[in-house]
Amino acid sequence: MGAVAHKVKLYEQVAERLEEAIAAGTLQAGDKLPSVRQLSLRERVSISTVLQAYVHLESLGLIETRPQSGHYVRRRERPQLAEPQVSRPASSATAVSVSALVASVYKSMGDARIVPFGAASPSPELLPTRRLYRELSALTRDTRDRSILYDVLPGCLELRQQLARRSLDWGCALSPEDFITTCGTSEAIHLCLLAVARPGDTIAIESPAYYGTLQAIEALGLRALEIPCCPRNGMQMEALEAALTRRRIAAVLMVPSFSNPVGSCMPDVRRQRLVNLLAAHDVPLIEDDIYGDLHFGPERPRTCKAFDTRGNVMLCGSFSKTLAPGFRVGYVAPGRFRERVELLKFSNSVATATLPQYAIARFLQSGGYDRHLRALRRRLAAQVERMASAVAEFFPAGTRVTRPTGGVLLWVEMPQQVDSLVLHAKALEAGISIAPGPIFSARMDTYRHCFRLSCGHPWTPRIEAAMSTLGALARGLV
Amino acid sequence: MGAVAHKVKLYEQVAERLEEAIAAGTLQAGDKLPSVRQLSLRERVSISTVLQAYVHLESLGLIETRPQSGHYVRRRERPQLAEPQVSRPASSATAVSVSALVASVYKSMGDARIVPFGAASPSPELLPTRRLYRELSALTRDTRDRSILYDVLPGCLELRQQLARRSLDWGCALSPEDFITTCGTSEAIHLCLLAVARPGDTIAIESPAYYGTLQAIEALGLRALEIPCCPRNGMQMEALEAALTRRRIAAVLMVPSFSNPVGSCMPDVRRQRLVNLLAAHDVPLIEDDIYGDLHFGPERPRTCKAFDTRGNVMLCGSFSKTLAPGFRVGYVAPGRFRERVELLKFSNSVATATLPQYAIARFLQSGGYDRHLRALRRRLAAQVERMASAVAEFFPAGTRVTRPTGGVLLWVEMPQQVDSLVLHAKALEAGISIAPGPIFSARMDTYRHCFRLSCGHPWTPRIEAAMSTLGALARGLV
């Protein structure tokens, strides 16, 4: 297996409690935090643990240190909107049929003339295309190169070696043998679902959930059970636990790091609880880690897989959001389901395309990927903040917006009477695409007043004008 | 839809009857055929129809014209072995579990030190890798190129346009809109199976059948019903018809042109009968046309899709056997199941890798593919003939071998007491891989004395030595 159990550090637990107090408004912007000594006594931890917790919160941009004064909850420079509240989906499982609606939304995404607030990827300007193509060309000029041939399962060894090395950053210590390469994260998830569920089975998912997840569930004749989620910290464990005791659930499928569409990131304590809970119920977790590398803070979130000692977590990821969506290169570390997933991979596509895997492996080996990621994360963090400000500036009063700590997405909750399907239609007429709320739930009325906003594109006058237009359209619908 | 119903021409029916008489031994090598006038009277067809039939049989290499004398069944230059007989699989459906055995066989295939008689692809020397990589590099140098991005369903338009143009050669007149591009034929088939079958359903297949087909059936929890097949003309229609009346069959999945492993090619009359039969029973046909472009005669076999007026045939193919296995570019024309297959494709892999599709589309546009195919077919025809002679020369008395009219494979039926699994193990020790018979049937004892022999590699002293070794090993097992 190779995964090592990862304990949540003490300072993280302390920081987590303060973070929750800030999120709940118990501690407000400008409030002074307890002194290091006070907190050390209250939490029964050492002074150095408290100091670590404060450094951590500062790195997240949540608090600031004032010399000779102490620690304070940070004031935001711009007016900040309230966050959406915890979701309250229906508590019964349901068959899914979002596809027709998704198809109509998806059609506009490929059109370069449309302002692509609907997509969930970084703009091509932010991708290291030239450098990646240079690696690819080097391969095609090598006469010993055999990349015209089938790759052999479990996939390109050089790439799996790089993944194993990177897995240390995910809090795991996976070996190359733990991985199977796939055609993007979507194939990885499709294989995992096929491995653990049969038609009619129930899959527990986040609410709202990525429409691709809903479509995968629909395509395989499964049922979706949407679990309430906090837009900051992800799936609510109490709700999941209640669901697990009420009915048979074949698997839980979620995006713990910078979820799609809301951008939530599960704290480590919650991840540990999730992994333990599912192990106790013998329910596998399909972990979609596609946005994990796009953290705005200094540290990459650990994966749930880091807490998995029983091979119960099937970790899926790819390079589609960071390097090359069109290469279709992803991976799965399927834990104890490895054999079945490898069989399914062979029958699904024999192997992953050879050349793209080798090109990415070379790019990773060269250190180019890490350099690229550092720049990409800075750009995305700035773009997300800029777009959130634009929502505050242009959208009707009462609009709420998420405060993601990574990824490329904002989730916008407008006043109840604004219909995002109408907004979507009007925006498209104005040359702007958005992803309307209803495609993110099996019950398509739940998020009717919400939409997903991509921040993948650098801020330009064109983007600003589009945000202004979009806000005006939304105001017109109040 | 765009598929046009294709009538079997009269001359083809006449030729077919003569071909069957030759296959059955009613007409033997050197026998004089009826005069044109005699046959015209006997068959009640025009003189010109008989002449067309004779020209057709001559092009297939089955008969020869002797000036001022008439038409004769052609004598082969080399001693020719008998063909295997029609297969007699068990008549009940069964669950499949060939995977463990396949995995052990498959492992050796990627090893360049092993003589690859086990693979089912042309040697990389026969592929136009340099020219294809040139197209790819041209794309990566184009600054307007967007191939780093997701391709959008139903896939690269330029490629679908080329496929539509080529479909005329398949006896169809498909439009670009009829196609969805896929990660090779295997994804196409996986999607088709998911679209029309649920776990526990029965799929009728050829016997013997491609192990990948058996694995796809195993992976999806389906059951396989093996139908008797003639090594020359493919699936027996009487047997299929009987099966269809006996039980519910969710789909028929077959390789009508140069099947894997036996290399059979269904005559048009049989294809028409198959399509009509399945339409009458409302059972879809999944047509795997992966070897269709590798015909040795002058004409490409028509697809079954050519006879389909109701959208009941799901045509699958790829460029994996002719251009670039590692590119993973294939397609499906799913007929009336189009919507469902497109949904499944999205949830399975979002889209096919972008760059490989565009590179292949450019290669097709340039005419390079057709030029390459002409050379490739000549090479393969010669290699198949040379390998068949080597089987005759080196293998034990009583060995039978197929006489394929296209593709890259021979199916060798050794005397009953020779165990191909033992031969496989001994051959591997000697650095030679073969594909033993048992992996080609859900009932793994059926083809114990048979194996599949790849003719993808040019004849060299190394190949000759390997055939000599293999034959000696087989003789040692009698």
Side-chain angles (χ1 to χ4, degrees), chain A residues 21 37 48 122 140 162 202 217 252 275 457 467 469:
Chain A
R37 175 164 217 94
S48 79
T140 63
Q162 290 298 314
T202 295
I217 288 171
V252 176
V275 170
H457 289 254
M467 281 301 287
T469 303

Side-chain angles (χ1 to χ4, degrees), chain A residues 144-161:
Chain A
R144 292 155 311 169
D145 172 60
R146 290 167 63 86
S147 62
I148 199 74
L149 298 182
Y150 287 116
D151 191 34
V152 177
L153 282 179
C156 170
L157 176 62
E158 288 82 346
L159 181 58
R160 289 184 293 113
Q161 283 167 339

Side-chain angles (χ1 to χ4, degrees), chain B residues 143-304:
Chain B
T143 49
R144 291 156 311 168
D145 173 59
R146 291 168 63 85
S147 62
I148 199 73
L149 299 182
Y150 288 116
D151 191 33
V152 177
L153 282 179
C156 171
L157 176 62
E158 288 82 346
L159 181 58
R160 289 184 291 112
Q161 283 167 340
Q162 290 299 315
L163 289 169
R165 208 181 57 75
R166 300 194 75 79
S167 78
L168 297 172
D169 290 342
W170 314 340
C172 308
L174 299 171
S175 76
E177 289 65 43
D178 291 322
F179 290 95
I180 299 168
T181 66
T182 60
C183 304
T185 311
S186 44
E187 188 189 35
I189 287 171
H190 179 86
L191 300 178
C192 291
L193 284 172
L194 275 175
V196 302
R198 288 170 64 99
D201 281 356
T202 296
I203 309 296
I205 58 173
E206 292 151 320
S207 184
Y210 169 47
Y211 59 81
T213 296
L214 292 165
Q215 286 191 297
I217 288 171
E218 177 178 353
L220 298 179
L222 304 167
R223 297 168 71 80
L225 176 65
E226 297 178 43
I227 307 292
C229 287
C230 158
R232 186 174 285 213
N233 294 326
M235 193 179 280
Q236 302 282 86
M237 286 304 105
E238 298 69 24
L240 177 63
E241 190 158 12
L244 284 164
T245 53
R246 266 202 317 274
R247 62 166 65 70
R248 201 184 84 77
I249 286 172
V252 176
L253 164 50
M254 63 158 79
V255 190
S257 297
F258 320 126
S259 69
N260 181 348
V262 299
S264 62
C265 186
M266 285 180 90
D268 278 358
V269 266
R270 198 174 280 200
R271 290 183 198 243
Q272 174 131 62
R273 187 167 163 199
L274 170 70
V275 170
N276 293 346
L277 180 64
L278 294 186
H281 283 83
D282 204 26
V283 171
L285 172 64
I286 304 172
E287 178 176 23
D288 178 351
D289 191 41
I290 192 167
Y291 295 102
D293 280 343
L294 296 180
H295 49 99
F296 302 157
E299 270 186 71
R300 191 197 197 285
R302 278 179 207 126
T303 56
C304 294

Side-chain angles (χ1 to χ4, degrees), chain A residues 10-11 14 17 36-37 39-50:
Chain A
L10 208 52
Y11 81 85
V14 174
R17 278 189 285 277
V36 172
R37 175 164 217 94
L39 195 60
S40 152
L41 289 167
R42 198 173 84 192
E43 295 273 350
R44 295 168 198 236
V45 297
S46 71
I47 298 281
S48 79
T49 299
V50 172

Side-chain angles (χ1 to χ4, degrees), chain A residues 138-458:
Chain A
L139 283 166
T140 63
R141 283 192 306 268
D142 181 349
T143 49
R144 292 155 311 169
D145 172 60
R146 290 167 63 86
S147 62
I148 199 74
L149 298 182
Y150 287 116
D151 191 34
V152 177
L153 282 179
C156 170
L157 176 62
E158 288 82 346
L159 181 58
R160 289 184 293 113
Q161 283 167 339
Q162 290 298 314
L163 289 169
R165 208 181 57 78
R166 301 194 75 78
S167 78
L168 298 172
D169 290 341
W170 316 338
C172 309
L174 299 171
S175 75
E177 289 65 45
D178 291 322
F179 289 95
I180 299 168
T181 66
T182 59
C183 304
T185 311
S186 44
E187 188 189 35
I189 287 171
H190 178 87
L191 300 178
C192 291
L193 283 173
L194 276 174
V196 301
R198 287 171 62 99
D201 280 357
T202 295
I203 309 295
I205 58 172
E206 292 152 319
S207 184
Y210 169 47
Y211 59 81
T213 296
L214 292 165
Q215 287 192 297
I217 288 171
E218 176 179 353
L220 299 179
L222 304 166
R223 298 168 71 79
L225 176 64
E226 298 179 43
I227 307 291
C229 287
C230 158
R232 187 174 283 212
N233 295 327
M235 194 179 279
Q236 302 282 86
M237 285 304 104
E238 299 69 25
L240 178 63
E241 191 159 10
L244 285 164
T245 53
R246 265 203 316 273
R247 61 165 66 69
R248 202 185 84 76
I249 286 173
V252 176
L253 165 50
M254 63 158 80
V255 189
S257 297
F258 321 124
S259 69
N260 182 347
V262 300
S264 61
C265 186
M266 285 179 93
D268 279 357
V269 267
R270 197 174 281 199
R271 290 182 198 243
Q272 175 132 61
R273 187 168 163 198
L274 170 70
V275 170
N276 293 347
L277 180 66
L278 294 186
H281 284 84
D282 205 27
V283 171
L285 172 64
I286 304 172
E287 178 176 22
D288 177 352
D289 190 41
I290 191 167
Y291 295 103
D293 279 343
L294 297 179
H295 48 98
F296 302 158
E299 271 187 71
R300 192 197 196 283
R302 279 177 206 126
T303 56
C304 295
K305 183 86 181 164
F307 303 94
D308 176 31
T309 52
R310 295 176 41 179
N312 201 43
V313 177
M314 310 169 86
L315 177 65
C316 305
S318 76
F319 298 94
S320 300
K321 301 301 181 187
T322 53
L323 266 188
F327 273 31
R328 313 306 307 120
V329 174
Y331 52 85
V332 55
R336 64 188 167 92
F337 305 95
R338 197 186 180 299
E339 203 178 330
R340 176 140 175 77
V341 170
E342 188 166 321
L343 161 63
L344 284 160
K345 167 66 188 176
F346 182 82
S347 92
N348 195 34
S349 54
V350 181
T352 307
T354 314
L355 205 50
Q357 288 186 79
Y358 280 87
I360 289 181
R362 285 174 63 116
F363 191 60
L364 265 61
Q365 279 161 357
S366 75
Y369 184 59
D370 283 312
R371 276 194 301 279
H372 158 65
L373 274 184
R374 282 193 290 274
L376 178 63
R377 288 195 290 251
R378 276 199 306 274
R379 298 287 297 269
L380 291 181
Q383 288 169 204
V384 165
E385 182 154 2
R386 196 62 201 80
M387 290 288 277
S389 298
V391 172
E393 188 177 346
F394 297 122
F395 273 68
T399 296
R400 290 164 177 262
V401 69
T402 49
R403 293 172 199 170
T405 54
V408 60
L409 300 171
L410 287 173
W411 178 246
V412 182
E413 195 179 298
M414 299 177 291
Q416 280 286 347
Q417 67 268 41
V418 183
D419 184 331
S420 67
L421 291 177
V422 177
L423 180 63
H424 169 251
K426 284 183 180 289
L428 214 50
E429 281 172 27
I432 304 164
S433 84
I434 59 169
I439 64 177
F440 298 100
S441 171
R443 297 174 201 269
M444 298 198 303
D445 266 356
T446 320
Y447 300 107
R448 189 100 191 188
H449 59 304
C450 305
F451 70 96
R452 188 189 74 181
L453 184 66
S454 167
C455 308
H457 289 254

